[in-house]
Amino acid sequence: MDLGLADRVYVLTGASRGLGFATAEQLVADGARVVLSARAPEQVAAAVTALGGPARAIGLTADLTDPQTPGRLVAAAREHFGRLDGALVSVGGPPPGTAAQATDEQWRESFETIFLGSVRTARTVAAALTDGGAIALVLSTSARSPLPGLGISNGLRPGLAGVAKDIADEYGPRGVRVVGLLPGRILTDRNRALFAAGGDADRARAEAEAAIPLRRIGEPAEFGKVAAFVLSPAASYLTGITLPVDGGLLRGL
């Protein structure tokens, strides 16, 4: 199936590793070009090299708490590749702990990065897509069902799902699609750390897999393929939804 990604250009935040990088790999494999951003310059440089260098990917060291970051990403895409077709907005997960245990500072920092940073990036990219395009927000299954021990995620992710729907409504008439992606247990550094937090990573992983109908943890590439499809012209009638990528973990229909 031809996804129609050849020569299209996407910006991806938090994409030096994890789900963002996995999506970048799939986009580039199907002929797209990407502009990556992350906070660690050495990781950005390594990701760009792994993706094939400046002909296929460029990177910016940037933080979503900086109001200038979305504009810089849009400008970089247009200046280096001559166009912009969409974005994957991904940020690192908030610190673990219950909602009541989280400090005011943890809530503020998470709101600035995860919530406001994502909203600012989505609206900036949406406004720049004058000829249509697609935006995918990497959220979490916590947008539909709270996760034990992840109180900040439980508080912020559902709000972002609502924002994605609102932006989809507003920019739909211009051909801009907006979708929320809900990864479940995917084998990223984030999930490895969560498994290890209880002191027995193997047991925690086995318990998590037992609750998943497919009985296994997902691979980053499996998420990346779904995200690349959602961003591609092949998904041209898909917008305003939240799409679980979780092996069947969520029980809602």
Side-chain angles (χ1 to χ4, degrees):
M1 181 178 182
D2 182 3
L3 299 182
L5 285 167
D7 298 323
R8 291 182 178 267
V9 178
Y10 297 89
V11 299
L12 300 93
T13 69
S16 63
R17 57 182 183 172
L19 302 182
F21 181 73
T23 302
E25 285 186 304
Q26 298 301 322
L27 289 170
V28 168
D30 271 284
R33 305 293 181 258
V34 296
V35 178
L36 309 180
S37 76
R39 290 180 291 184
E42 65 281 1
Q43 292 179 1
V44 172
V48 168
T49 299
L51 292 169
R56 298 176 178 270
I58 61 170
L60 278 71
T61 302
D63 191 326
L64 286 190
T65 60
D66 182 354
Q68 304 303 315
T69 292
R72 289 178 59 207
L73 291 169
V74 169
R78 287 175 169 166
E79 290 170 7
H80 191 81
F81 293 118
R83 61 186 290 171
L84 177 65
D85 297 283
L88 181 88
V89 184
S90 178
V91 298
T98 67
Q101 291 171 344
T103 65
D104 286 0
E105 184 57 33
Q106 287 176 319
W107 275 106
R108 288 192 189 98
E109 183 177 349
S110 297
F111 176 81
E112 288 287 335
T113 303
I114 294 170
F115 194 93
L116 184 55
S118 295
V119 172
R120 185 188 292 124
T121 302
R123 74 187 182 203
T124 301
V125 173
L129 294 175
T130 55
D131 297 320
I135 300 169
L137 278 72
V138 182
L139 305 178
S140 163
T141 54
S142 64
R144 291 194 188 174
S145 180
L147 297 172
L150 292 175
I152 295 179
S153 181
N154 295 336
L156 299 182
R157 302 294 193 186
L160 279 172
V163 168
K165 182 69 169 178
D166 193 89
I167 296 175
D169 290 344
E170 181 169 354
Y171 287 92
R174 281 182 24 195
V176 177
R177 301 182 298 105
V178 184
V179 172
L181 297 173
L182 311 184
R185 290 292 198 176
I186 310 290
L187 197 57
T188 60
D189 291 342
R190 163 76 168 174
N191 269 302
R192 289 189 180 94
L194 291 174
F195 288 144
D200 189 339
D202 291 339
R203 178 178 178 181
R205 176 170 178 170
E207 290 175 349
E209 289 177 327
I212 300 170
L214 290 180
R215 295 297 189 270
R216 63 180 179 83
I217 304 299
E219 294 293 332
E222 293 180 294
F223 175 89
K225 290 174 182 178
V226 174
F229 167 72
V230 165
L231 290 170
S232 78
S236 58
Y237 207 54
L238 194 67
T239 193
I241 65 166
T242 53
L243 180 64
V245 189
D246 67 348
L249 179 62
L250 283 173
R251 305 315 301 150
L253 298 177

PDB file of all heavy atoms in Angstrom, residues 89-102:
ATOM      1  N   VAL A  89       3.392  15.411  17.612  1.00  0.00           N
ATOM      2  CA  VAL A  89       3.705  16.137  18.839  1.00  0.00           C
ATOM      3  C   VAL A  89       3.840  15.131  19.971  1.00  0.00           C
ATOM      4  O   VAL A  89       2.850  14.538  20.405  1.00  0.00           O
ATOM      5  CB  VAL A  89       2.626  17.177  19.158  1.00  0.00           C
ATOM      6  CG1 VAL A  89       3.032  17.988  20.394  1.00  0.00           C
ATOM      7  CG2 VAL A  89       2.391  18.108  17.972  1.00  0.00           C
ATOM      8  N   SER A  90       5.069  14.922  20.412  1.00  0.00           N
ATOM      9  CA  SER A  90       5.352  13.943  21.451  1.00  0.00           C
ATOM     10  C   SER A  90       6.224  14.588  22.515  1.00  0.00           C
ATOM     11  O   SER A  90       7.136  15.358  22.202  1.00  0.00           O
ATOM     12  CB  SER A  90       6.070  12.722  20.858  1.00  0.00           C
ATOM     13  OG  SER A  90       6.402  11.784  21.855  1.00  0.00           O
ATOM     14  N   VAL A  91       5.924  14.297  23.771  1.00  0.00           N
ATOM     15  CA  VAL A  91       6.741  14.795  24.878  1.00  0.00           C
ATOM     16  C   VAL A  91       6.982  13.638  25.843  1.00  0.00           C
ATOM     17  O   VAL A  91       6.247  12.654  25.851  1.00  0.00           O
ATOM     18  CB  VAL A  91       6.068  15.969  25.622  1.00  0.00           C
ATOM     19  CG1 VAL A  91       5.877  17.150  24.706  1.00  0.00           C
ATOM     20  CG2 VAL A  91       4.732  15.538  26.209  1.00  0.00           C
ATOM     21  N   GLY A  92       8.000  13.781  26.679  1.00  0.00           N
ATOM     22  CA  GLY A  92       8.279  12.761  27.669  1.00  0.00           C
ATOM     23  C   GLY A  92       7.169  12.663  28.700  1.00  0.00           C
ATOM     24  O   GLY A  92       6.409  13.612  28.927  1.00  0.00           O
ATOM     25  N   GLY A  93       7.070  11.496  29.324  1.00  0.00           N
ATOM     26  CA  GLY A  93       6.036  11.290  30.322  1.00  0.00           C
ATOM     27  C   GLY A  93       6.323  12.046  31.609  1.00  0.00           C
ATOM     28  O   GLY A  93       7.477  12.289  31.958  1.00  0.00           O
ATOM     29  N   PRO A  94       5.280  12.410  32.350  1.00  0.00           N
ATOM     30  CA  PRO A  94       5.459  13.110  33.626  1.00  0.00           C
ATOM     31  C   PRO A  94       5.991  12.169  34.693  1.00  0.00           C
ATOM     32  O   PRO A  94       5.972  10.939  34.521  1.00  0.00           O
ATOM     33  CB  PRO A  94       4.035  13.579  33.960  1.00  0.00           C
ATOM     34  CG  PRO A  94       3.160  12.557  33.312  1.00  0.00           C
ATOM     35  CD  PRO A  94       3.862  12.166  32.042  1.00  0.00           C
ATOM     36  N   PRO A  95       6.460  12.707  35.811  1.00  0.00           N
ATOM     37  CA  PRO A  95       6.970  11.839  36.880  1.00  0.00           C
ATOM     38  C   PRO A  95       5.873  10.946  37.442  1.00  0.00           C
ATOM     39  O   PRO A  95       4.703  11.345  37.486  1.00  0.00           O
ATOM     40  CB  PRO A  95       7.476  12.830  37.930  1.00  0.00           C
ATOM     41  CG  PRO A  95       6.747  14.101  37.655  1.00  0.00           C
ATOM     42  CD  PRO A  95       6.547  14.133  36.170  1.00  0.00           C
ATOM     43  N   PRO A  96       6.231   9.727  37.860  1.00  0.00           N
ATOM     44  CA  PRO A  96       5.225   8.836  38.439  1.00  0.00           C
ATOM     45  C   PRO A  96       4.799   9.308  39.820  1.00  0.00           C
ATOM     46  O   PRO A  96       5.448  10.148  40.439  1.00  0.00           O
ATOM     47  CB  PRO A  96       5.948   7.487  38.499  1.00  0.00           C
ATOM     48  CG  PRO A  96       7.398   7.842  38.583  1.00  0.00           C
ATOM     49  CD  PRO A  96       7.558   9.094  37.782  1.00  0.00           C
ATOM     50  N   GLY A  97       3.708   8.724  40.301  1.00  0.00           N
ATOM     51  CA  GLY A  97       3.160   9.078  41.600  1.00  0.00           C
ATOM     52  C   GLY A  97       1.687   9.408  41.453  1.00  0.00           C
ATOM     53  O   GLY A  97       1.209   9.708  40.355  1.00  0.00           O
ATOM     54  N   THR A  98       0.969   9.359  42.531  1.00  0.00           N
ATOM     55  CA  THR A  98      -0.454   9.664  42.466  1.00  0.00           C
ATOM     56  C   THR A  98      -0.665  11.163  42.308  1.00  0.00           C
ATOM     57  O   THR A  98       0.242  11.975  42.547  1.00  0.00           O
ATOM     58  CB  THR A  98      -1.172   9.196  43.743  1.00  0.00           C
ATOM     59  OG1 THR A  98      -0.714   9.989  44.856  1.00  0.00           O
ATOM     60  CG2 THR A  98      -0.893   7.726  44.028  1.00  0.00           C
ATOM     61  N   ALA A  99      -1.873  11.539  41.931  1.00  0.00           N
ATOM     62  CA  ALA A  99      -2.203  12.954  41.750  1.00  0.00           C
ATOM     63  C   ALA A  99      -2.035  13.711  43.058  1.00  0.00           C
ATOM     64  O   ALA A  99      -1.589  14.864  43.072  1.00  0.00           O
ATOM     65  CB  ALA A  99      -3.634  13.086  41.230  1.00  0.00           C
ATOM     66  N   ALA A 100      -2.384  13.089  44.166  1.00  0.00           N
ATOM     67  CA  ALA A 100      -2.281  13.754  45.459  1.00  0.00           C
ATOM     68  C   ALA A 100      -0.832  13.874  45.930  1.00  0.00           C
ATOM     69  O   ALA A 100      -0.483  14.818  46.651  1.00  0.00           O
ATOM     70  CB  ALA A 100      -3.101  12.992  46.505  1.00  0.00           C
ATOM     71  N   GLN A 101       0.019  12.955  45.517  1.00  0.00           N
ATOM     72  CA  GLN A 101       1.420  12.979  45.938  1.00  0.00           C
ATOM     73  C   GLN A 101       2.238  13.991  45.149  1.00  0.00           C
ATOM     74  O   GLN A 101       3.256  14.491  45.644  1.00  0.00           O
ATOM     75  CB  GLN A 101       2.046  11.593  45.760  1.00  0.00           C
ATOM     76  CG  GLN A 101       1.519  10.535  46.715  1.00  0.00           C
ATOM     77  CD  GLN A 101       1.995   9.143  46.350  1.00  0.00           C
ATOM     78  OE1 GLN A 101       2.466   8.901  45.231  1.00  0.00           O
ATOM     79  NE2 GLN A 101       1.865   8.200  47.284  1.00  0.00           N
ATOM     80  N   ALA A 102       1.840  14.301  43.927  1.00  0.00           N
ATOM     81  CA  ALA A 102       2.609  15.217  43.084  1.00  0.00           C
ATOM     82  C   ALA A 102       2.643  16.613  43.703  1.00  0.00           C
ATOM     83  O   ALA A 102       1.640  17.116  44.202  1.00  0.00           O
ATOM     84  CB  ALA A 102       1.999  15.277  41.687  1.00  0.00           C
TER      85      ALA A 102
END
